[in-house]
Amino acid sequence: MPKKKIVIVISGPAGSGKTTYAKRLAEKLGLRYFSAGSIFRKIAQEKGLSLVELSKLAEKDYSIDIEIDRRTLEEAKRGNVVIDGHLTAWIVKELADVAIYITAPLMVRVKRIAERDNKPLREAYYETIRREFSQRKRFIEIYGIDVTDISWFDLVINTEKYTIDEVYEIIEKTVLKALAKKA
């Protein structure tokens, strides 16, 4: 493991594959893994709410997002971590050695979510649309961040037409090259 504290961040919408790639990259590089989304899901579970319901609550109670983002920033400051989440790249932008944005077309992501969560496609579609609308609204209101501006990422990749291994290979090569330049 290099002596410098490394921070790699992977952001993107639900169902894009960010968790899959973040976990794999963390394992490969011997770094810690942190998921902002798991904190959101844990809060929803603790409150007995669905993700959509917690998103609606978060539109009125900014402390939910602020707490998740505070924890994410703490993890980045500790270093030697791969962090994934919808907003994480924007939150830890100044600390990130490499920022990756993973995406796929809406219906591809919805199908993945429906399969992953074992729910009907229509339900996954509604939840995905509602959550993405809520997140975009909150992030603009709380931070002035427009998550549709991905122009500053080191790598932007659409996962639709590649296998998991092909996408991972692109990510790994990009990360290793970027870290070598910063060493």
Side-chain angles (χ1 to χ4, degrees):
M1 181 84 284
K3 291 178 178 76
K4 181 189 179 303
K5 288 185 178 181
I6 295 169
V7 177
I8 299 166
V9 64
I10 300 179
S11 285
S16 59
K18 61 190 171 300
T19 299
T20 298
Y21 301 113
K23 283 180 176 179
R24 191 167 171 183
L25 190 62
E27 183 178 329
K28 169 74 176 184
L29 298 178
L31 302 173
R32 293 179 303 107
Y33 166 73
F34 179 82
S35 169
S38 68
I39 303 295
F40 193 81
R41 285 186 286 284
K42 183 178 179 187
I43 292 169
Q45 185 179 28
E46 288 169 357
K47 293 183 178 288
L49 301 172
S50 71
L51 296 178
V52 170
E53 290 167 332
L54 184 60
S55 291
K56 287 179 186 176
L57 178 61
E59 289 176 17
K60 297 178 186 112
D61 181 0
Y62 292 163
S63 70
I64 295 166
D65 285 313
I66 291 168
E67 176 60 18
I68 293 167
D69 300 334
R70 182 192 65 75
R71 291 187 199 179
T72 301
L73 192 55
E74 282 179 9
E75 291 296 324
K77 286 178 181 176
R78 285 180 58 203
N80 295 330
V81 64
V82 178
I83 301 173
D84 86 57
H86 298 280
L87 184 63
T88 54
W90 288 267
I91 296 300
V92 303
K93 185 177 184 179
E94 301 305 317
L95 299 173
D97 292 293
V98 184
I100 300 164
Y101 189 83
I102 306 290
T103 192
L106 176 63
M107 288 312 297
V108 170
R109 295 184 295 106
V110 167
K111 287 176 187 172
R112 291 174 183 169
I113 292 166
E115 289 174 16
R116 177 191 73 199
D117 297 346
N118 195 28
K119 58 178 57 172
L121 191 62
R122 174 176 247 153
E123 183 181 339
Y125 178 80
Y126 165 75
E127 288 178 359
T128 302
I129 293 293
R130 180 66 181 104
R131 285 181 62 208
E132 288 181 8
F133 173 79
S134 178
Q135 288 168 343
R136 184 166 187 222
K137 179 179 187 268
R138 293 188 335 258
F139 301 155
I140 286 173
E141 289 175 2
I142 297 169
Y143 300 111
I145 294 171
D146 178 0
V147 295
T148 64
D149 177 12
I150 57 173
S151 62
W152 59 274
F153 280 83
D154 298 304
L155 174 66
V156 176
I157 187 162
N158 179 336
T159 62
E160 177 186 24
K161 295 180 181 172
Y162 301 100
T163 67
I164 291 172
D165 288 339
E166 289 169 336
V167 171
Y168 178 76
E169 185 179 328
I170 293 166
I171 291 169
E172 184 181 308
K173 283 182 181 180
T174 300
V175 167
L176 292 175
K177 190 172 253 185
L179 293 177
K181 286 182 180 181
K182 293 181 184 206

